[in-house]
Amino acid sequence: MILTLVGGLWLMAACSSDNTPTGVVEKALKGLISGDVRAYTSKMIFDEDAEPEKEKEAQEDFAKMMERELAKQEEKEKVTDFEIIKEELSKTGTYARVTYKDVLADGKEAEHSIYLIKDKEGAWRILLFGSDKMLDE
């Protein structure tokens, strides 16, 4: 917890935790920007019921695919920065959506959302495919 004096009022702000939807997305996106694709894919979940070795295999396969696609990108298309806009949780707290804005090398900006699920161990994991209906659960 951080206390900050703003306009004569003390405000409390929570420190960013790695096990929050925003913390997971921040770490994943920072990894992508630095060229560490596995920092992103290690935060993903492909099948909630898969054996751990199958899940790692799926993460590695996806990382290889991402590396191939990123290698094809022109320099101006690469993400250089991002800003988290908002985090939304489902009613049960099982799903989350983190909306962010990214900035490309050519200065263009775009808004995106990443969907997450809380796994069996209570860790937030990025879903490959997400939808708004999860937030209505």
Side-chain angles (χ1 to χ4, degrees):
M1 199 63 73
I2 297 174
L3 288 174
T4 307
L5 185 62
V6 178
L9 297 173
W10 284 98
L11 302 176
M12 286 191 293
C15 297
S16 179
S17 167
D18 282 348
N19 193 31
T20 65
T22 295
V24 168
V25 170
E26 285 176 341
K27 188 168 186 168
L29 292 176
K30 285 177 184 176
L32 278 181
I33 289 171
S34 71
D36 182 3
V37 171
R38 282 158 186 81
Y40 188 92
T41 59
S42 69
K43 300 292 185 191
M44 296 180 78
I45 190 167
F46 293 87
D47 181 356
E48 293 177 65
D49 298 318
E51 295 295 321
E53 59 275 354
K54 290 284 187 193
E55 193 67 16
K56 292 282 184 204
E57 190 177 303
Q59 290 172 349
E60 183 60 24
D61 289 346
F62 197 77
K64 289 176 182 175
M65 185 274 305
M66 286 180 74
E67 287 171 335
R68 286 191 303 272
E69 292 303 312
L70 290 172
K72 296 176 191 177
Q73 272 187 334
E74 292 184 36
E75 197 61 37
K76 66 181 182 179
E77 298 172 322
K78 293 186 178 181
V79 176
T80 59
D81 200 9
F82 69 92
E83 175 189 344
I84 301 294
I85 297 171
K86 65 182 172 182
E87 174 184 302
E88 301 167 274
L89 294 175
S90 65
K91 293 173 187 165
T92 63
T94 304
Y95 297 100
R97 176 176 53 212
V98 175
T99 304
Y100 68 97
K101 175 179 69 175
D102 64 16
V103 181
L104 303 182
D106 66 3
K108 291 182 182 175
E109 297 179 356
E111 195 172 295
H112 307 280
S113 292
I114 293 180
Y115 294 85
L116 301 97
I117 185 171
K118 194 176 276 192
D119 70 15
K120 293 174 186 173
E121 288 79 39
W124 285 102
R125 307 283 300 279
I126 297 171
L127 289 163
L128 184 55
F129 301 102
S131 71
D132 289 331
K133 70 180 180 184
M134 289 185 278
L135 293 173
D136 295 330
E137 63 155 348

